[in-house]
Amino acid sequence: MGNRRGALRTTAVSAVSVSLIAAGALVAAPTAQAATGIRFVDIAGDGGTVLKANVVTPAGADGTRRYPLLVLPTSWGLPQVEYAAQAQRLADSGYVVVSYNVRGFWQSGGEIEVAGPRDTADASQVIDWALAHTPADAGHVGMAGVSYGAGIGLLTAAKDPRVKAVAALSGWADLIDSIYSGRTQHLQATALLDGASLVTGRQSAELRQIFDAFYSSVLAKEPDLIAWGKRRSASSFVDQINRNGAAVMLANAWGDTIFPPNQYADFYERLTGPKRLQFRPGDHATAELTGLLGLPNDVWTDTARWFDHYLKGADNGVDREQPVRLKSRSTGGYEGYPDWKSVAATEHKIALAGTTTLHTNVDSGADAGVVFLSSVLDQLAKAPPMASLPLLPRRWAAVWQSEKYTAAQRVRGTAALHTTLTPTAESGTLIAYLYDVGPLGVGKLVSNAPYTFHGRTPGRPFGVDLELYSTAYDVPAGHRLALVVDTVDPLYVEHNPSGARLTFSSPGHDPSYVSIPLGEQ
């Protein structure tokens, strides 16, 4: 079995490598002669583990001068040629670029550590190697990466003060708040990561145990899972990043079903050095994808500008622009803000009046879609997951709606649910959905989030506060906003015992509502 998997991995890496190199070469052909081309090397990582890497240096580099260094760890499950097109472009503009396959994947040695201490030690070893074997400048070192590479880059900036600038694209700052937000397992996202690592890498025994514990829902293992995730989260080391002073650019998609945007926004607010936050429509890594093929891409353009300023000292104005840049899911333009809290100018509350009891264990038809597919459709065709609100069975779905809006509403930021919940069992799960509802009652998904509780006393009410995933969405005039709550969604693991019920109420002393953040109209 192991030999067959190894053969599959070897065949796959060859196919992916050829595809990426060919695509990059075709698109970047007019400038390809300016750089020296890709050189494949082996680099000794932590403990001597061999890391497969490729190096691109500026044309004419003869050892008489030094160039800024960019280190690019690969994404989860992709080989080191992932960044071939962008590495070529960056080298053409005067950088030494080293991209490497992280340990445990493809032809690199070792086992998958999930951005553990060995991964950050590997990144520092790659920097050491580049400074010793290329014309790289030790005083001007940056890291960039998509997804897994983004997470490793942020963590390395906390551990290695030589890293002066980071571009973390479609990454995570808080691993637990990404795949276990609302104390709920994000099933499809985790299964996708698990499956990809089984095909393209070698899971460590620890990682296999983590996956199995995650799926099993054994509460006794929860503290260990959380501690494991926190050690792999840049948010746990933000003080070190601030002390080291790295300039940090964060970019993500509104609909990222693996690393939702909230955890990036929270992390951004805690950074004290030079920083930038960008959100665009799409799902995990889809905003950067065309750039990996060498096509025009604004994420990679902004990444290059970030490094040009903070590693080369170029006066390109990136430090004078509004540091928070958002692109609405409904319109094509960018909006600039001085900070994250300024995104929402006002707050509108929709009252959740009355008492409603839900029966659990049945999917009402209100769902957040399918990992990757649904947000990509929203990105490309403005077609998010939809539901007919009049047809949702009220036995399994609670529905509250606003009045019709006479003017368009610019939802910007993080909607939040506040309610009182009385369960019939000590554990349970609910999923909240915010919909844009048109004249025919068809709702388009604006945002959602899951919430799970354990250890509650049956029959005793308690307060629930749940932040939905941040977004930027324009609700047309004549439409309504609606909050829908049910108990089953294919994206998540639900914890409702068979036959359990959830009752939502709105006490006079503590009314229930959903708070909608609105930008300037």
Side-chain angles (χ1 to χ4, degrees):
M1 181 66 179
N3 289 337
R4 288 199 299 271
R5 183 178 292 171
L8 174 62
R9 187 181 298 119
T10 301
T11 301
V13 74
S14 300
V16 174
S17 299
V18 169
S19 299
L20 285 171
I21 291 175
L26 285 172
V27 178
T31 61
Q33 295 180 352
T36 61
I38 295 178
R39 178 164 59 100
F40 291 90
V41 299
D42 289 350
I43 298 176
D46 185 54
T49 298
V50 174
L51 304 174
K52 295 294 182 177
N54 53 270
V55 183
V56 189
T57 55
D62 56 6
T64 60
R65 60 168 292 193
R66 294 285 172 177
Y67 300 88
L69 169 66
L70 292 179
V71 174
L72 284 64
T74 51
S75 301
W76 186 273
L78 288 182
Q80 77 266 23
V81 293
E82 172 188 6
Y83 303 113
Q86 288 302 322
Q88 191 78 58
R89 290 176 183 269
L90 290 164
D92 289 346
S93 65
Y95 293 92
V96 172
V97 185
V98 180
S99 61
Y100 71 96
N101 229 106
V102 293
R103 67 168 53 229
F105 282 103
W106 298 102
Q107 302 307 306
S108 284
E111 296 177 325
I112 301 169
E113 299 285 331
V114 193
R118 289 182 177 178
D119 286 305
T120 53
D122 285 345
S124 291
Q125 293 284 85
V126 170
I127 294 172
D128 291 342
W129 183 92
L131 296 178
H133 296 88
T134 73
D137 184 348
H140 298 85
V141 177
M143 292 191 68
V146 176
S147 185
Y148 195 38
I152 291 175
L154 286 174
L155 286 161
T156 305
K159 304 298 180 69
D160 193 331
R162 294 177 298 180
V163 178
K164 304 301 182 184
V166 178
L169 316 178
S170 289
W172 79 92
D174 189 327
L175 191 57
I176 296 302
D177 201 32
S178 295
I179 61 174
Y180 194 54
S181 70
R183 211 177 175 186
T184 309
Q185 296 104 312
H186 294 211
L187 178 61
Q188 288 187 15
T190 306
L192 185 66
L193 296 173
D194 187 4
S197 65
L198 287 171
V199 173
T200 64
R202 296 168 300 282
Q203 294 182 357
S204 65
E206 179 189 40
L207 177 57
R208 187 65 259 161
Q209 291 172 1
I210 290 294
F211 276 129
D212 291 342
F214 189 86
Y215 297 137
S216 70
S217 302
V218 176
L219 283 179
K221 298 179 179 179
E222 185 182 53
D224 291 337
L225 287 172
I226 292 174
W228 178 87
K230 291 300 183 183
R231 291 194 297 269
R232 289 160 170 78
S233 299
S235 59
S236 300
F237 305 98
V238 67
D239 290 342
Q240 290 95 311
I241 294 175
N242 290 335
R243 185 164 55 247
N244 290 341
V248 178
M249 171 181 155
L250 305 170
N252 205 351
W254 293 120
D256 195 318
T257 45
I258 297 181
F259 303 132
N262 301 46
Q263 45 94 31
Y264 249 19
D266 293 342
F267 177 69
Y268 172 84
E269 289 291 271
R270 297 173 60 198
L271 293 170
T272 58
K275 58 184 180 179
R276 188 179 184 95
L277 178 66
Q278 302 185 173
F279 287 132
R280 302 170 173 83
D283 205 315
H284 185 65
T286 61
E288 300 88 8
L289 181 59
T290 56
L292 294 177
L293 300 177
L295 298 171
N297 181 278
D298 55 354
V299 184
W300 286 102
T301 297
D302 291 341
T303 296
R305 295 180 64 234
W306 189 254
F307 288 131
D308 285 349
H309 180 75
Y310 287 104
L311 294 183
K312 288 184 178 179
D315 185 15
N316 56 15
V318 73
D319 57 322
R320 297 188 294 274
E321 296 170 354
Q322 298 275 38
V324 175
R325 300 185 71 230
L326 313 179
K327 180 180 282 190
S328 169
R329 292 163 49 201
S330 308
T331 58
Y334 280 98
E335 303 164 3
Y337 301 89
D339 49 41
W340 175 249
K341 64 178 178 292
S342 299
V343 170
T346 60
E347 176 185 88
H348 167 58
K349 289 184 177 180
I350 300 173
L352 310 181
T355 299
T356 301
T357 296
L358 292 185
H359 293 253
T360 64
N361 311 121
V362 175
D363 190 339
S364 71
D367 289 326
V370 179
V371 65
F372 277 125
L373 177 61
S374 297
S375 291
V376 170
L377 287 174
D378 185 36
Q379 176 185 3
L380 299 179
K382 293 182 173 55
M386 292 184 285
S388 175
L389 269 64
L391 298 181
L392 291 178
R394 290 334 191 238
R395 179 181 178 87
W396 297 297
V399 180
W400 296 270
Q401 297 191 70
S402 71
E403 299 297 324
K404 285 185 180 180
Y405 294 113
T406 57
Q409 304 294 300
R410 301 174 68 246
V411 179
R412 296 291 186 274
T414 308
L417 166 66
H418 174 75
T419 190
T420 296
L421 175 62
T422 305
T424 61
E426 65 175 15
S427 295
T429 297
L430 62 91
I431 303 93
Y433 309 90
L434 186 66
Y435 284 103
D436 162 22
V437 184
L440 299 180
V442 175
K444 293 184 176 182
L445 188 66
V446 177
S447 183
N448 76 286
Y451 178 90
T452 294
F453 61 89
H454 296 288
R456 292 292 178 175
T457 301
R460 178 176 295 177
F462 64 94
V464 171
D465 287 288
L466 173 63
E467 287 191 344
L468 278 63
Y469 300 137
S470 303
T471 194
Y473 183 97
D474 298 340
V475 180
H479 285 212
R480 308 171 187 263
L481 279 171
L483 181 80
V484 175
V485 177
D486 72 1
T487 64
V488 177
D489 190 299
L491 284 178
Y492 311 111
V493 175
E494 58 106 351
H495 296 265
N496 298 294
S498 179
R501 297 183 303 279
L502 304 178
T503 297
F504 300 88
S505 58
S506 182
H509 68 279
D510 187 18
S512 296
Y513 60 85
V514 59
S515 174
I516 310 297
L518 298 176
E520 292 185 1
Q521 302 302 303

